[in-house]
């Protein structure tokens, strides 16, 4: 009977789409995931140390350690969230599931700000490292900032065209990066710290070197910039094999590696330089400062160009990761109707989300442009980053807590331990502490830092107006 | 040589048609199962699950056509559309997952820097495939 059936004119034969949402090839394993994450976090040591030293002075290692504790809390929150919801979007996705669309939008929009500032800061710190080859890049603000802007434009074009980047490049860069940083720590400890440990004590605790309490707290906020890669790893969950197992594993590996290397580098840097030197001459290229302070000329001569090239490459990869991260995030928010679809528009030929790449690269250039005239743009970028990322982290912690309360039945392949039970619901202490700490630090930044306060608020208000108009046009509720 | 499960990756060339006809001929003896797959490579600036309408339309058209080619040969074929970052590893993954015993690919004559080139996908599949691989090359005009 079936064989005799013939379509008549006007009949439409419905072919269901072959594509299935979960027929996506996931190829990343723990090494590739760790490398992508470390490529981002590890790159931040090349500028975070200097930016923190600008305010925390001699207390830089202690401030980084306290922020490291916060980093552990946040990483654990992300590990649970990503294993539970392995999709692009990170904290925006957690907030959407935990609260509602509006919370998802606010978290995502804040995250976008931190991505944009990551692009700006990474690009801003490439020229000082390359200053080894041509000093003008380090000392001339116009040459330096113009180079940074050129780098962003170059990467913008590359990303619009959509040149392939392989995991192999990430893994190679991460291995080279960790090897160089560990070597620098070992050499620094043997040649600088151990022969005269009193210098470190002097540089940390002597009068004039210890920061005021507000600066100490601001230092903790700025130190959050040292831990920028958590989101990246979360964003990559959707293309990881068995993300529920591998993402937490890669995150834990990253926590351990990053904390050890950051502790070593910060201690060695304050053994090699006074906090004043670290916060002025070497603020944008602190790792080059360590290499330049080594007492043996031969090692110095090998390490200086090596670090210049390596830092330049790693920071270039980090800038690129920022551009790719923000375009993916914009696309993901667009898919969930949180931002206008124009941001998800794909180029007909290159198949890339060219409008979001171009738009957010332009915003990153605008953030960079005061660098052509002013010297304190570096600290401002740091506080602006903290404004966005802390807001996103806040939503991440709050969402994990709310999901424990509202949706306890959701499968949690990785569940954070050390819980307290409130009204029959298990709540992780790390997320509670993380939430309170991020709220307090965020408020401090809001109150004490006029630049990030106003730029951050304007960014959020522009976003909320766009969100309101878009949702209204779509006849969708705000929440 | 006997084949029971055959995977035919397609990209929409004439060689794909001939490769599918060959797959049908090889499949007849043992009533082997044939899968044709098209892989959409998603750029890293997009999430992996991004639905790029134009790409999906093209892919669906190619798979429809390959189904018709198989039908002409009186042969049944299952078609699948995958999204991945890289085409070659996803073909190998698919072969592993489906436990196929043959990958049959059509190759076209391409020149790169003045030399005949197989591109990136074919060498990767040849190197990493868990099964036999047959390449079908169209005679050049």
């Amino acid at each position: 009977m079936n064989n005799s059936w013939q379509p008549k004119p006007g009949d439409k034969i419905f072919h269901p789409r072959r594509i299935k949402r979960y027929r996506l090839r996931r190829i990343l394993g723990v090494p590739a995931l760790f490398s992508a994450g470390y490529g981002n976090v590890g790159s931040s040591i090349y500028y975070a140390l200097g930016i923190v030293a600008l305010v925390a002075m001699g207390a830089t290692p202690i401030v980084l350690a306290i922020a490291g504790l916060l980093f552990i809390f946040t990483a654990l929150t992300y590990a649970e969230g990503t294993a539970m919801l392995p999709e692009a979007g990170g904290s925006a996705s957690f907030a959407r599931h935990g609260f509602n669309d509006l919370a998802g939008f606010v978290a995502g929009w804040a995250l976008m700000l931190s991505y944009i500032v990551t692009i700006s800061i990474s690009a801003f710190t490439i020229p000082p490292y390359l200053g080894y080859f041509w000093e003008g890049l380090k000392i001339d603000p116009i040459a330096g900032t113009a180079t940074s802007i050129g780098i962003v434009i170059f990467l913008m074009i590359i990303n619009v065209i959509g040149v392939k980047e392989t995991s192999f490049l990430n893994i190679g860069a991460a291995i080279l990066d960790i090897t160089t940083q560990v070597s620098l720590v070992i050499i620094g400890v043997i040649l600088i710290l151990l022969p005269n440990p009193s210098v470190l004590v002097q540089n940390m605790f002597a009068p004039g070197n210890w920061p005021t309490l507000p600066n100490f707290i601001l230092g903790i906020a700025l130190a959050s910039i040292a831990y920028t890669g958590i989101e990246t790893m979360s964003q990559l969950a959707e293309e990881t094999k068995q993300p529920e197992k591998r993402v937490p594993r890669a995150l834990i590996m990253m926590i351990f590696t990053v904390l050890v290397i950051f502790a070593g580098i910060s201690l060695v840097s304050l053994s090699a330089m006074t906090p004043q030197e670290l916060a002025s001459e070497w603020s944008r290229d602190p790792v080059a400062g360590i290499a330049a302070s080594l007492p043996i000329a031969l090692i110095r001569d090998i390490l200086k160009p090596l670090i210049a090239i390596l830092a330049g490459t790693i920071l270039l990869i980090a800038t690129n990761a920022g551009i790719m991260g923000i375009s993916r995030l914009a696309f993901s928010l667009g898919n969930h109707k949180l931002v206008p679809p124009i941001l998800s528009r794909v180029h007909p030929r290159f198949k890339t989300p060219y409008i979001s790449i171009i738009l957010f690269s332009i915003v990153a250039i605008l953030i960079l442009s005061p660098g052509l005239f002013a010297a304190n743009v570096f600290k401002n970028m740091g506080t602006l980053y903290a404004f966005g990322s802390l807001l996103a982290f806040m939503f991440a912690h709050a969402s994990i807590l709310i999901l424990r309360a509202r949706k306890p039945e959701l499968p949690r392949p990785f569940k954070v331990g050390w819980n307290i039970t409130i009204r029959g619901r298990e709540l992780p202490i790390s997320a509670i502490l993380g939430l309170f700490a991020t709220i307090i630090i965020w408020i401090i930044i809001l109150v004490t830092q006029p630049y990030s306060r106003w730029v951050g608020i304007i960014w959020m208000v522009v976003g909320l107006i766009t969100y309101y108009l878009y949702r209204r046009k779509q006849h969708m509720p705000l929440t | 040589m006997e084949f029971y499960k055959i995977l035919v990756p397609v990209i929409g060339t004439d060689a794909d048609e001939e490769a599918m006809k060959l797959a049908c001929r090889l499949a007849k003896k043992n009533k082997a199962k044939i899968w044709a797959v098209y892989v959409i490579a998603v750029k890293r600036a997009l999430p992996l699950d991004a639905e790029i309408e134009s790409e999906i339309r093209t892919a669906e058209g190619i798979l429809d056509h390959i189904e018709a080619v198989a039908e002409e040969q009186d042969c049944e074929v299952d078609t699948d559309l995958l999204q991945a970052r890289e085409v070659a590893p996803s073909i190998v993954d698919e072969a592993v997952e489906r436990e196929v015993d043959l990958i049959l690919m059509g190759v076209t004559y391409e020149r790169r820097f003045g030399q005949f080139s197989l591109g990136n996908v074919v060498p990767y599949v040849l190197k990493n495939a868990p099964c036999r691989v047959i390449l079908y090359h169209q005679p050049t005009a």
Side-chain angles (χ1 to χ4, degrees):
Chain A
M1 173 122 182
N2 279 343
N3 290 340
S4 63
W5 182 84
Q6 291 291 323
K8 293 183 288 295
D11 274 355
K12 277 186 184 172
I13 300 171
F14 175 72
H15 288 291
R17 280 182 160 202
R18 291 177 178 87
I19 193 160
K20 293 167 200 149
R21 196 172 174 77
Y22 294 105
R23 294 288 293 128
L24 308 169
R25 306 309 316 178
R26 295 168 184 261
I27 53 166
L28 294 184
V30 174
L33 193 59
F34 170 80
S35 315
Y38 191 82
N40 226 326
V41 184
S43 69
S44 59
I45 193 70
Y46 291 106
Y47 51 79
L49 195 58
I51 220 166
V52 173
L54 281 173
V55 292
M57 304 292 282
T60 298
I62 295 168
V63 155
L64 277 169
I66 295 171
L69 199 63
L70 261 179
F71 172 61
I72 293 174
F73 294 161
T74 311
L76 288 173
T77 286
Y78 271 85
E80 178 167 325
T82 308
M84 186 167 51
L85 308 162
E87 53 186 52
S91 53
S93 164
F94 306 160
R96 193 166 42 79
H97 287 279
F99 293 92
N100 52 36
D101 277 6
L102 180 61
F105 168 78
V106 174
W109 197 248
L111 201 53
M112 277 188 174
L113 178 64
S114 66
Y115 267 119
I116 292 172
V117 184
T118 308
I119 296 168
S120 304
I121 294 189
S122 305
F124 191 62
T125 43
I126 295 172
Y129 277 101
L130 297 182
Y132 172 82
F133 302 106
W134 181 51
E135 214 182 356
L137 290 173
K138 182 174 163 73
I139 56 172
D140 181 0
I142 295 176
T145 311
T147 307
S148 305
I149 291 172
I151 288 166
V152 176
I153 293 171
F154 167 72
L155 291 176
M156 180 183 82
I157 295 168
I158 291 282
N159 277 284
V160 167
I161 295 170
V163 171
K164 273 189 185 173
E165 186 208 11
T166 62
S167 300
F168 178 74
L169 179 71
N170 273 335
I171 295 174
I175 291 171
L176 192 61
D177 195 23
I178 293 173
T179 312
T180 310
Q181 289 175 356
V182 169
S183 312
L184 194 66
V185 171
I186 294 171
I187 292 168
V189 167
I190 294 170
L191 295 181
I192 304 174
L193 181 59
L194 288 181
N196 201 354
S198 60
V199 174
L200 174 64
V201 179
Q202 173 77 15
N203 282 342
M204 283 180 73
F205 302 105
N209 289 349
W210 192 255
T212 58
L213 185 63
N215 274 354
F216 186 87
I217 296 170
L218 180 60
I220 296 173
L222 284 178
S224 66
I225 205 167
Y227 307 115
T228 49
I230 304 176
E231 272 291 343
T232 308
M233 219 175 252
S234 178
Q235 302 273 339
L236 291 174
E238 58 165 10
E239 54 196 272
T240 304
K241 284 179 191 165
Q242 295 180 298
E244 66 285 355
K245 284 184 188 163
R246 291 174 196 229
V247 172
R249 212 177 291 166
L251 268 167
I252 289 164
M253 266 173 71
M254 195 176 72
I255 294 173
F256 178 75
T257 315
V258 164
L259 290 181
V260 168
I261 289 180
F262 275 34
I265 293 255
S266 61
L267 288 172
V268 168
S269 68
L270 275 180
S271 308
M273 292 170 269
T274 64
Q276 290 76 16
E277 284 171 331
L278 187 58
S280 54
E281 189 186 346
W282 299 106
S283 68
R284 288 199 292 159
D285 51 349
V287 182
I290 299 174
S293 308
L294 291 171
I296 297 175
L298 179 66
I299 298 177
R300 206 166 53 223
D301 291 345
I302 294 170
L303 276 181
K304 274 165 71 178
L306 177 67
I307 284 174
I309 295 167
L310 186 67
T313 312
I314 297 277
L315 289 167
L316 190 73
I317 293 173
T319 313
N320 195 39
I323 294 176
M324 287 197 298
I326 198 165
S327 58
R328 278 188 207 195
L329 180 62
F331 195 93
S332 168
L333 295 180
N335 262 2
H336 294 107
K337 298 197 181 304
L338 300 181
V339 294
I342 191 167
L343 293 180
S344 317
R345 191 173 293 168
V346 174
H347 193 280
R349 182 169 161 209
F350 302 124
K351 313 295 178 202
T352 51
Y354 66 112
I355 292 182
S356 54
I357 292 172
I358 292 171
L359 177 69
F360 296 123
S361 297
I362 290 171
V363 180
I365 289 169
L366 287 176
I367 292 173
L368 272 170
S369 52
L372 292 166
F373 320 102
N376 66 347
V377 65
F378 193 36
K379 185 184 150 200
N380 286 342
M381 281 197 268
T383 55
L384 189 59
Y385 170 82
F387 178 97
S389 64
L390 288 172
L391 196 55
F393 292 166
M394 220 185 284
F395 273 100
H397 289 304
S399 307
I400 291 306
L401 290 170
I402 212 87
L403 282 167
R404 284 277 188 106
R406 284 188 188 164
K407 296 179 184 171
E409 75 287 352
L410 271 181
R412 289 173 172 80
F414 177 87
K415 194 172 177 183
V416 179
W418 296 85
N419 295 295
I420 53 166
T421 308
I422 299 174
R423 291 185 189 173
R425 300 285 187 235
E426 281 187 324
L427 301 176
I429 296 172
S430 61
I432 297 171
L433 291 175
L435 176 63
F436 279 114
T438 44
I439 288 175
I440 292 167
I441 299 171
W442 188 76
I443 291 172
I444 290 170
I445 290 218
L446 203 65
V447 172
T448 61
Q449 301 300 311
Y451 175 84
S452 52
R453 176 171 64 231
W454 294 117
V455 176
I457 287 175
I458 289 169
W459 173 260
M460 295 310 295
V461 169
V462 167
L464 283 168
I465 291 171
T466 312
Y467 177 79
Y468 171 75
L469 294 174
Y470 170 59
R471 297 286 281 207
R472 205 177 66 163
K473 195 178 166 194
Q474 297 291 314
H475 306 291
M476 290 174 77
L478 288 180
T479 53
Chain B
M1 272 187 291
E2 295 193 330
F3 305 111
Y4 296 93
K5 292 178 178 178
I6 303 173
L7 182 71
V8 185
V10 293
I11 51 169
T13 60
D14 291 345
D16 289 341
E17 280 184 32
E18 297 303 319
M20 178 50 76
K21 286 177 189 168
L22 179 58
C24 288
R25 229 174 296 162
L26 290 172
K28 264 181 192 154
K29 188 180 161 197
N30 297 311
K31 292 188 177 169
K33 180 127 184 92
I34 304 175
W35 287 280
V37 292
Y38 183 98
V39 186
I40 296 176
V42 184
K43 299 268 171 67
R44 288 195 180 272
L46 287 167
L48 189 56
D49 59 358
E51 289 198 7
I52 310 162
E53 206 47 54
S54 58
E55 289 277 281
I56 292 171
R57 246 194 332 266
T58 309
E60 296 276 0
I62 290 168
L63 290 173
D64 283 346
H65 178 66
I66 221 72
E67 265 179 353
V69 170
E71 210 171 301
E72 277 170 22
Q73 302 295 310
D74 203 17
C75 171
E76 251 186 55
V77 60
D78 272 3
T79 50
D80 230 336
L81 178 51
L82 307 176
Q83 286 203 177
R85 293 290 180 210
E86 304 278 344
V87 174
S90 62
I91 292 172
V92 172
D93 264 18
E94 192 69 8
V96 172
E97 203 174 275
R98 296 194 183 279
E99 295 175 332
V100 302
D101 34 33
L102 172 68
I103 299 176
L104 208 163
M105 304 172 79
V107 290
T108 46
Y109 185 80
E110 277 173 29
R111 290 173 77 90
R112 208 172 186 183
F113 306 117
Q115 294 286 318
F116 170 63
S117 165
L118 282 174
N120 300 322
V121 177
V122 173
Y124 184 95
V125 173
L126 288 174
K127 192 177 167 195
N128 297 286
C131 57
R132 290 188 175 90
V133 179
I134 295 178
L135 299 182
Y136 176 84
H137 182 219
Q138 280 277 76
T140 46

